[in-house]
């Protein structure tokens, strides 16, 4: 009698355990649960991409600073250097409007043979 009671109890416990396990798996496979899990994974991936982009940007700034120091680009330019004075005399100063050879209103050739029609066969 004890043997039958033991096996009956063991079978009932196994049935309850299996039913619980199956119900949990079914709840995990519902569309709402799958959508929520996919959204969580997408957010996690987005955070990882953002962290990577920030790391790349920090490395880029650091490397630009190293290159600037190596090339001497970070030093303050001498405002009275001969090169700057020559640029001012020739009108090539970028701070004052650029080179005077190129005016803001360029003249075009009136009877050009070049066609601006993109549909024309060439």
């Amino acid at each position: 009698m004890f043997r039958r009671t033991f096996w009956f109890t063991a079978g009932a416990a196994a049935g309850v355990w299996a039913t619980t396990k199956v119900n949990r798996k079914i709840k995990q496979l519902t569309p709402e649960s799958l959508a929520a899990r996919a959204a969580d994974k997408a957010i996690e991936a987005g955070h990882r991409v953002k962290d990577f982009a920030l790391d790349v940007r920090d490395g880029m700034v650091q490397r630009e600073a190293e290159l600037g120091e190596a090339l001497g680009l970070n030093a303050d330019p001498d405002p009275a250097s001969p090169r700057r004075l020559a640029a001012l005399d020739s009108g090539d100063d970028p701070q004052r409007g650029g080179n005077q050879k190129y005016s803001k209103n360029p003249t075009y050739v009136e009877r050009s043979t070049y066609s601006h029609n993109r549909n024309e066969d060439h």
Side-chain angles (χ1 to χ4, degrees), residues 28-58:
Q28 286 179 352
L29 296 176
T30 60
E32 295 85 13
S33 177
L34 291 175
R37 196 170 351 154
D40 290 342
K41 294 285 185 182
I43 289 172
E44 182 181 326
H47 287 303
R48 279 190 261 144
V49 168
K50 178 183 157 195
D51 291 341
F52 174 73
L54 290 174
D55 289 344
V56 168
R57 183 172 291 183
D58 290 343

Side-chain angles (χ1 to χ4, degrees), residues 1-12:
M1 169 112 169
F2 288 112
R3 182 186 269 179
R4 288 184 184 174
T5 306
F6 170 77
W7 286 114
F8 177 77
T9 306

Side-chain angles (χ1 to χ4, degrees), residues 41-98:
K41 294 285 185 182
I43 289 172
E44 182 181 326
H47 287 303
R48 279 190 261 144
V49 168
K50 178 183 157 195
D51 291 341
F52 174 73
L54 290 174
D55 289 344
V56 168
R57 183 172 291 183
D58 290 343
M60 184 176 62
V61 168
Q62 180 183 1
R63 182 66 178 148
E64 281 183 10
E66 290 172 2
L67 289 173
E69 286 179 24
L71 296 174
L73 298 176
N74 294 342
D76 290 332
D78 184 16
S81 69
R83 191 171 180 187
R84 173 123 170 104
L85 292 176
L88 289 174
D89 290 340
S90 68
D92 288 345
D93 186 21
Q95 294 175 350
R96 296 180 182 236

